[in-house]
Amino acid sequence: MRCVTYAGETVITTDEVAEALVTLTASIAKHGDAEAVRIPIIVEGTKDAGDADLVIGVGNDVLSAPIDWDGDVPDFSDAVARLQAHQLYPNRAGQAEPLDSEDQEDRSAYDWDLDAIDQP
């Protein structure tokens, strides 16, 4: 379990939700955007599940740190899948998908060392 600190408040969620949240936050910020997301949390003082709404991306810092947890770990896998399904969530190669992939040219044969140089 992880403690997520955001805007001076702290919430508890699973390792997987915290990891997906931090990854998505960084990717959205890299694109110069900010978005609202909802994550499942453990309600303070209980072991009941609840939700927290956060604005992530540019100007919104998220800190995730481990905590001691002696209870059962809740299944928040649906929320993890939702965060990972976001269009800006990095794919397995570590790159975010294009915002509009239909308008993007195929860059698989692009040589970044040569083709990125402006030709006179």
Side-chain angles (χ1 to χ4, degrees):
M1 296 293 285
R2 310 262 320 163
C3 173
V4 174
T5 302
Y6 174 85
E9 297 294 324
T10 301
V11 296
I12 298 171
T13 193
T14 63
D15 294 357
E16 296 80 11
V17 169
E19 179 182 349
L21 177 67
V22 169
T23 300
L24 182 57
T25 299
S27 184
I28 289 174
K30 183 177 179 180
H31 283 85
D33 292 330
E35 291 190 31
V37 296
R38 176 170 287 165
I39 62 166
I41 63 169
I42 299 300
V43 178
E44 184 178 350
T46 73
K47 293 203 176 180
D48 296 331
D51 291 317
D53 296 315
L54 301 85
V55 176
I56 61 172
V58 173
N60 298 291
D61 298 331
V62 175
L63 170 70
S64 171
I67 62 164
D68 289 330
W69 183 259
D70 60 2
D72 293 334
V73 175
D75 181 7
F76 292 160
S77 57
D78 288 346
V80 173
R82 205 170 42 253
L83 292 169
Q84 291 174 336
H86 190 282
Q87 66 181 354
L88 292 180
Y89 195 88
N91 61 23
R92 291 179 187 248
Q95 300 296 319
E97 294 295 323
L99 289 174
D100 188 358
S101 60
E102 293 179 6
D103 294 336
Q104 299 291 322
E105 63 184 79
D106 180 16
R107 296 183 184 244
S108 60
Y110 192 81
D111 185 334
W112 289 99
D113 293 328
L114 298 175
D115 295 336
I117 299 173
D118 289 332
Q119 301 290 329

